[in-house]
Amino acid sequence: MKFLNSSINFKSVLKKYFSFKNETLSLEPFAELLESVKRADFTDVINFFRNNPVFAENFKYYLHHIFEERPFNLSLTEANILSENAFFPELKKRVLNTILPPVVNEKTVWYMIDNVSVRPKKDLKYFYNLPENEINEFFTILGISDFIKNARVKNEMIFAMNILSWRVTGAAMEVEVVRMAPEYRNFDNPFLALQNELEGLAEEFKNNPEIQLTSKDSRYKQIKIYIEQCQEFVNIAFKNSSKYGISGKINQSLLKIGQQIQRIYEIVQLLVIDNEDDVIIKSKQLVFNILSYKSHKNNITELINDSTRLISHLITNHTAETGTHYITSTRKEYMTMFYKASGGGIIVGALCVLKMLYGYIPGSDFSHAFLYSMNYAMGFVMIYLMGFTLATKQPAMTAATMTKVLSEEGYSKRNNTEFAHLVSKLFRSQFIAFVGNVLLSFPIALAIIYGLDVFFSQNLAVDRSDKLLKDLDPFKSKAILHASIAGFYLFISGIISGNIGNNSVFYQIPERIAKNLSIRRVFGKKFAGNLSKYYAKNWPGIVSNFWFGVFLGATAPVGLFFGLDLDIRHITFAAGNFALGLYGKDFTVDSYTFWISFITVFLIGFFNFLISFTLSMFLAFRSRKLNFGQVSEIYKEIFKYFIKHPLKFFLPLRSRLDKKADDLMNNTVSTKSGDH
């Protein structure tokens, strides 16, 4: 019964508007008919038109009448192409357009689609799913099966290509864009050549509106060659971003140029007619293309994906270079990692005591946030500059390294067992770093608080001991949540490091320092050179460690200010606080408190690692367009390898796969300095 009602509905709409020659320019009949046709069986629609030629002729007349004098070049030059050269203005515009669609010229096809097709994406899907023979017959009945040969249609398409070529040439001639592809300095500019060819085509069409391109035409071949060269220019510019860095503005400009070049290619393909079958195929494709462009015009997800993929790639590229230093291969490297982590543990042990003492200082939440932040920040910067290691800083770096190996080695060529062995080396490096941090932060914090007790004859940890031990009980506190927050901050600090590294390269800061006349005159050429190298090597690490400290220090006071139970838990600090809590209680705690605190220290470390590594892996996967399903075999192989060789995940046992795993990493991860 429902089917009959829907069938009657589309017939009633046709009888209402097209039982006579309708002269209206209103879009309401078209919109109503489209909705009713989508609810009906399309075969019935075709049969009705076939058996009722008067209705078909009247609808055909109406359709041609409303499309007459409506240009559609806007749908080709604007829809689904970036309109701004910066991410946030483009995002703002798309959000506004989604909530409140813009006012457009009513005499355009753009306006028509907006008012007839409320859901162009669903409508496009509907037409794509229809049988091809029925769509072909529908186009024939309506007299639009050959409209691609219409002189006015060709004029609109050629005009659209010229508009795009003028825009793309102007954007590609920008100094900063040209700088991204120096390989093209000694060649003719392909954008200018493409523009000249398209202007030549427009002139030819002006003289002969009946002109028809074929795949063998020399002009079409030349246009296609120049389009390929323009696309190659964009690809080279993006590849060079690892070498020269890139800004958000240049990233958007290159994306926009790429979109415009692709659109020119899609339009020129529609103008190529080699045989009669191509006429209806290209006519349909033009309609589908316009609907497709319009359906994506305000897509915010696509904008974010396209705009952030390259930046995330650069960030992970930088952190991947750093990550290689955190994967140990030999026993010597394994022990070196332990010593570096021990040094970090010593400093953190002191920071734990300092933070506790700062808590006794009377002051506002803001003053405590500042003191805690500077305590952490200066401590982390000290750890970094002294060459020590904070264990949880590694996951953000090593995740990028592992993903870079996965993407650059290529899924089909990769030896899963070798990669699994590489993962075991990464895991044991993390493990020994955890051990080094915890083993030293606990006794150092204990030694310092004991020394203060001897010096001042007062146990300064007494008042804080209850809270310190309670914070290490996951059943009485939000220790796991707070450990996850710390993991998130570790991930963010990795992003900051990568971003600073990228900006340093893009703005050529080390080169500016080395060639700065003022620095050379005052301190000498050698000093300027050394300062330049020091900046390039250390500045990203200094800034990321500083901000990591600020995040950790400010979270609890800021959470308190807003009435939220926010804080951070970090494995190394948890070990130090465990020592302070025990000392404050004079080591007289029940076995439950001792063991739950002991276990929670490592549980905190696990969540620090899990959150930062997972988020970093996700960013790295996304930046290199890796499919998560694609690496399921890798995960299985890693699990199998762990079952067979569990000790290799904790101890530096020698293996015949050592060299192959090292080659796997070294062949894909080049040093940053070498790239420069």
Side-chain angles (χ1 to χ4, degrees), residues 140-394:
T140 304
I141 290 169
L142 299 179
I144 56 174
S145 60
D146 62 346
F147 82 98
I148 199 76
K149 295 173 74 175
N150 184 291
R152 192 177 71 83
V153 172
K154 285 192 283 188
N155 181 53
E156 286 284 301
M157 294 168 72
I158 291 170
F159 181 54
M161 285 195 294
N162 273 281
I163 289 174
L164 290 166
S165 74
W166 296 331
R167 290 176 181 172
V168 84
T169 302
M173 297 297 283
E174 289 282 339
V175 175
E176 289 186 325
V177 174
V178 173
R179 171 180 166 250
M180 296 298 296
E183 292 88 344
Y184 272 80
R185 282 176 189 161
N186 299 324
F187 296 97
D188 292 333
N189 191 302
F191 296 98
L192 288 172
L194 176 62
Q195 183 183 326
N196 291 335
E197 282 295 329
L198 290 173
E199 287 176 352
L201 177 62
E203 194 63 34
E204 274 187 45
F205 176 78
K206 196 175 180 182
N207 297 328
N208 177 22
E210 299 301 317
I211 188 174
Q212 191 68 62
L213 287 179
T214 68
S215 58
K216 293 181 179 178
D217 284 347
S218 59
R219 187 173 291 282
Y220 165 70
K221 288 179 179 177
Q222 206 61 44
I223 289 171
K224 193 176 176 184
I225 288 168
Y226 290 139
I227 287 174
E228 288 171 356
Q229 289 178 356
C230 291
Q231 288 172 329
E232 182 62 21
F233 176 96
V234 174
N235 291 337
I236 286 173
F238 275 130
K239 284 178 184 176
N240 284 344
S241 59
S242 295
K243 196 187 297 183
Y244 304 120
I246 198 169
S247 68
K249 181 182 175 183
I250 301 304
N251 183 40
Q252 292 296 109
S253 292
L254 289 172
L255 282 171
K256 188 174 179 180
I257 290 169
Q259 289 175 347
Q260 289 168 330
I261 290 296
Q262 180 62 27
R263 185 63 53 83
I264 292 172
Y265 177 74
E266 289 169 2
I267 297 171
V268 79
Q269 288 296 105
L270 294 177
L271 289 169
V272 176
I273 306 294
D274 286 328
N275 52 60
E276 280 305 309
D277 290 341
D278 285 344
V279 176
I280 190 167
I281 291 170
K282 299 297 173 71
S283 297
K284 284 189 304 181
Q285 195 59 52
L286 177 58
V287 174
F288 289 161
N289 281 1
I290 289 173
L291 273 176
S292 177
Y293 301 151
K294 286 291 289 175
S295 68
H296 290 83
K297 68 182 187 297
N298 291 323
N299 195 304
I300 294 169
T301 305
E302 286 181 7
L303 170 68
I304 293 171
N305 284 341
D306 292 341
S307 301
T308 57
R309 182 170 282 116
L310 178 70
I311 300 301
S312 60
H313 174 85
L314 290 171
I315 289 168
T316 55
N317 189 64
H318 173 84
T319 52
E321 316 300 348
T322 312
T324 57
H325 305 303
Y326 291 121
I327 300 176
T328 62
S329 296
T330 64
R331 290 184 184 181
K332 184 179 178 182
E333 289 175 354
Y334 184 80
M335 291 311 297
T336 301
M337 178 66 76
F338 173 76
Y339 296 137
K340 286 182 177 181
S342 300
I346 291 170
I347 293 174
V348 169
L351 296 180
C352 287
V353 179
L354 277 173
K355 192 206 169 191
M356 186 190 72
L357 296 178
Y358 287 148
Y360 287 121
I361 298 175
S364 65
D365 291 340
F366 175 81
S367 65
H368 280 128
F370 177 78
L371 287 171
Y372 295 160
S373 296
M374 290 305 103
N375 175 52
Y376 286 134
M378 294 303 106
F380 293 153
V381 170
M382 191 186 302
I383 289 171
Y384 175 76
L385 293 178
M386 293 179 73
F388 296 145
T389 294
L390 189 66
T392 50
K393 284 286 285 180
Q394 299 171 26

Side-chain angles (χ1 to χ4, degrees), residues 299-501:
N299 195 304
I300 294 169
T301 305
E302 286 181 7
L303 170 68
I304 293 171
N305 284 341
D306 292 341
S307 301
T308 57
R309 182 170 282 116
L310 178 70
I311 300 301
S312 60
H313 174 85
L314 290 171
I315 289 168
T316 55
N317 189 64
H318 173 84
T319 52
E321 316 300 348
T322 312
T324 57
H325 305 303
Y326 291 121
I327 300 176
T328 62
S329 296
T330 64
R331 290 184 184 181
K332 184 179 178 182
E333 289 175 354
Y334 184 80
M335 291 311 297
T336 301
M337 178 66 76
F338 173 76
Y339 296 137
K340 286 182 177 181
S342 300
I346 291 170
I347 293 174
V348 169
L351 296 180
C352 287
V353 179
L354 277 173
K355 192 206 169 191
M356 186 190 72
L357 296 178
Y358 287 148
Y360 287 121
I361 298 175
S364 65
D365 291 340
F366 175 81
S367 65
H368 280 128
F370 177 78
L371 287 171
Y372 295 160
S373 296
M374 290 305 103
N375 175 52
Y376 286 134
M378 294 303 106
F380 293 153
V381 170
M382 191 186 302
I383 289 171
Y384 175 76
L385 293 178
M386 293 179 73
F388 296 145
T389 294
L390 189 66
T392 50
K393 284 286 285 180
Q394 299 171 26
M397 308 297 180
T398 50
T401 305
M402 304 309 283
T403 312
K404 191 170 184 186
V405 170
L406 283 175
S407 63
E408 294 187 13
E409 183 66 13
Y411 182 75
S412 59
K413 299 176 184 177
R414 193 186 315 116
N415 186 310
N416 292 351
T417 308
E418 290 170 13
F419 186 79
H421 182 65
L422 183 60
V423 171
S424 74
K425 295 167 78 169
L426 180 154
F427 193 90
R428 73 189 181 212
S429 304
Q430 300 291 302
F431 169 73
I432 197 62
F434 277 145
V435 170
N437 275 178
V438 171
L439 279 183
L440 269 293
S441 66
F442 184 92
I444 292 299
L446 207 58
I448 293 173
I449 196 67
Y450 173 73
L452 292 173
D453 190 357
V454 171
F455 191 77
F456 292 107
S457 300
Q458 183 182 355
N459 187 339
L460 297 172
V462 170
D463 294 340
R464 302 283 172 176
S465 58
D466 285 331
K467 185 179 186 309
L468 291 173
L469 292 174
K470 182 186 175 185
D471 288 342
L472 291 175
D473 187 338
F475 302 108
K476 295 179 182 177
S477 70
K478 296 183 173 68
I480 304 304
L481 171 65
H482 297 160
S484 300
I485 293 173
F488 174 74
Y489 288 152
L490 286 158
F491 164 69
I492 295 296
S493 71
I495 287 180
I496 291 172
S497 176
N499 194 44
I500 295 293

Side-chain angles (χ1 to χ4, degrees), residues 68-83:
E68 196 174 17
E69 302 302 322
R70 284 184 190 266
F72 62 86
N73 60 74
L74 272 180
S75 300
L76 298 177
T77 60
E78 309 294 328
N80 202 29
I81 289 178
L82 295 169
S83 58

